């Protein structure tokens, strides 16, 4: 069995590390991260990637130490110290780096910073589970410290806990590594896919709502043997589309049809514009040093990409307002919101009608036909 004093030292160090981890997690909350002291790093994503790779390696070694009898507190203390002294602080520094915060006023800077913080927080949370497991196993060995029996290693339940906890860390690390490798392109593609999904879900709900027409069925409640038979009609009547709402129904049908076309636009933009964004145009360690005015003058692709993402994010947000107007049976508001959504989509198309190098391509031709179809009655 491990000596009680070394077990005590392991427990104390692990609990101290848990406190440090809690502090790091708090510092990465949206409010605190904005005001947290930070420094500029040559490349925050590369720093995060290097630290994440180390953490995954250290976690693998630590899990083997936990699975292999006898428990060796000194080796565990060294490994936890290695993580605390450099890896954790490096991850946090990358997540709040000035390079990212310098770009936080534009859409992409804000998105990149938020996604990196979220990824780091997932990793820190997973590592916290490892620390909790170490404390439990060490305290159990400490409780058995007075016996002379040989340490036969973890029980089957403990083995499964070690493997499962290690797996959670690996998964969180792999997600963060993928994010770092994919960079700007991976981020904008992910966000565009998410917004497209939100858009299409909302369109499908609108379609289903439009099909649930209030027929003013006189046989629904009166004469029924079930005293609750008409409850659905009574409570749902307020926002049902009536048979007489011909103009609103026509507007709904048009909205559903054309918003599905906007969903097609997302697919085309993801394939032809977002995934083809040139690596040479992506922000470097000096991101934010060049003024927006200079970028506009030079037709910087990053400026176009940032504007494009603003339009793509605004569309599903506008569809939420459109749905609310339909549910309120407000034809004027619904029409205004529908026009706003279409306007955002057309601005997005016009912004990147040509390729990132300023030449016509397949998307240029397709976008012209798409715009004509959207404008058609």
């Amino acid at each position: 069995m491990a000596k009680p004093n070394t077990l005590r030292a392991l427990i104390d160090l692990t609990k101290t590390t848990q406190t440090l981890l809690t502090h790091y997690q708090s510092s990465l909350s949206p409010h605190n991260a904005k005001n947290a002291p930070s420094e500029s790093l040559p490349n925050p994503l590369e720093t995060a990637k290097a630290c994440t790779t180390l953490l995954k390696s250290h976690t693998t070694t630590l899990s083997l130490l936990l699975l292999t009898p006898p428990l060796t507190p000194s080796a565990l203390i060294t490994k936890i110290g290695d993580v605390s002294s450099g890896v954790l602080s490096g991850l946090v520094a990358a997540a709040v780096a000035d390079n990212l915060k310098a770009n936080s006023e534009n859409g992409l800077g804000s998105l990149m910073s938020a996604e990196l913080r979220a990824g780091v927080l997932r990793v820190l949370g997973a590592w916290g589970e490892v620390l909790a497991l170490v404390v439990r196993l060490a305290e159990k060995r400490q409780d058995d410290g007075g016996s002379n029996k040989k340490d036969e290693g973890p029980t089957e339940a403990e083995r499964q806990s070690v493997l499962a906890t290690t797996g959670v860390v690996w998964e969180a690390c792999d997600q963060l590594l993928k994010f770092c490798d994919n960079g700007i392109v991976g981020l904008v593609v992910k966000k565009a896919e998410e917004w497209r999904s939100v858009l299409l879900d909302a369109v499908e709900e609108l379609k289903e709502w439009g099909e649930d027409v209030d027929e003013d069925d006189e046989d629904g409640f009166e004469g029924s043997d079930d005293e609750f038979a008409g409850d659905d009609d009574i409570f749902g009547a307020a926002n049902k589309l009536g048979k007489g709402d011909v103009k609103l129904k026509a507007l709904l049908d048009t909205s559903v049809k054309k918003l599905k076309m906007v969903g097609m636009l997302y697919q085309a933009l993801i394939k032809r514009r977002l995934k083809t964004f040139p690596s040479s145009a992506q922000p470097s360690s000096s991101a934010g040093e060049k003024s927006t005015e200079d970028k506009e003058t030079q037709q910087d692709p990053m400026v176009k990409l940032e504007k494009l993402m603003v339009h793509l994010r605004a569309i599903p947000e506008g569809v939420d307002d459109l749905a609310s107007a339909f549910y309120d049976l407000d034809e004027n508001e619904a029409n205004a919101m529908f026009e706003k959504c279409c306007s955002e989509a057309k601005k997005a198309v016009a912004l990147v009608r040509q390729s990132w190098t300023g030449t016509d391509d397949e998307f240029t031709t397709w976008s012209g036909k798409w715009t004509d179809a959207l404008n058609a009655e």
Side-chain angles (χ1 to χ4, degrees), residues 109-298:
S110 178
L111 284 176
M112 181 66 75
S113 181
E115 285 289 315
L116 181 56
R117 285 201 314 272
V120 171
L121 279 170
R122 279 193 297 270
V123 169
L124 296 183
W127 179 246
E129 293 300 316
V130 172
L131 294 176
L133 179 60
V134 171
V135 171
R136 290 199 302 272
L137 295 180
E139 287 180 338
K140 180 181 177 183
R141 298 302 186 280
Q142 187 179 53
D143 292 341
D144 295 340
S147 67
N148 294 320
K149 69 178 183 179
K150 180 181 178 181
D151 184 354
E152 297 180 352
T155 65
E156 181 58 29
E158 289 171 340
R159 285 180 58 83
Q160 292 303 318
S161 293
V162 171
L163 294 174
T165 305
T166 302
V168 172
V169 175
W170 285 354
E171 182 179 2
C173 287
D174 287 343
Q175 289 179 2
L176 185 52
L177 290 171
K178 181 179 180 181
F179 169 74
C180 293
D181 285 336
N182 290 343
I184 284 287
V185 171
L187 175 64
V188 296
V189 167
K190 175 186 174 184
K191 286 300 178 183
E193 289 173 343
E194 289 176 354
W195 294 332
R196 177 179 180 271
S197 179
V198 171
L199 165 66
L200 295 182
D201 285 347
V203 171
E204 189 60 31
E205 289 181 9
L206 273 176
K207 180 183 176 183
E208 292 177 0
W209 175 78
E211 293 171 349
D212 185 21
V213 178
D214 185 0
E215 301 287 353
D216 294 325
D217 189 352
E218 297 180 357
D219 298 327
F221 181 79
E222 192 172 354
S224 172
D225 292 333
D226 185 350
E227 62 178 313
F228 300 113
D231 282 5
D232 288 342
D233 292 336
I234 293 172
F235 296 124
N239 69 342
K240 277 190 176 182
L241 190 63
K243 292 179 67 176
D245 295 321
V246 178
K247 289 185 178 181
L248 194 61
K249 182 63 167 65
L251 177 60
L252 176 63
D253 291 343
T254 300
S255 299
V256 168
K257 176 184 176 181
K258 295 198 172 184
L259 288 175
K260 285 183 177 180
M261 291 177 57
V262 175
M264 294 171 56
L265 173 63
Y266 275 81
Q267 284 183 302
L269 287 171
I270 289 170
K271 181 178 180 180
R272 301 293 183 180
R273 290 294 180 260
L274 300 185
K275 288 185 177 180
T276 62
F277 188 72
S279 58
S280 60
Q282 297 185 32
S284 64
S285 60
S286 59
E289 293 180 3
K290 190 185 296 184
S291 69
T292 301
E293 183 177 352
D294 290 338
K295 290 181 178 181
E296 291 279 14
T297 301
Q298 299 174 25

Side-chain angles (χ1 to χ4, degrees), residues 304 344-354 363 367 371:
K304 281 190 175 184
E344 291 287 354
K346 286 185 281 189
K347 288 177 182 178
V349 168
L351 185 65
V352 290
R353 187 181 69 83
Q354 291 186 313
F363 179 82
S367 65
T371 302

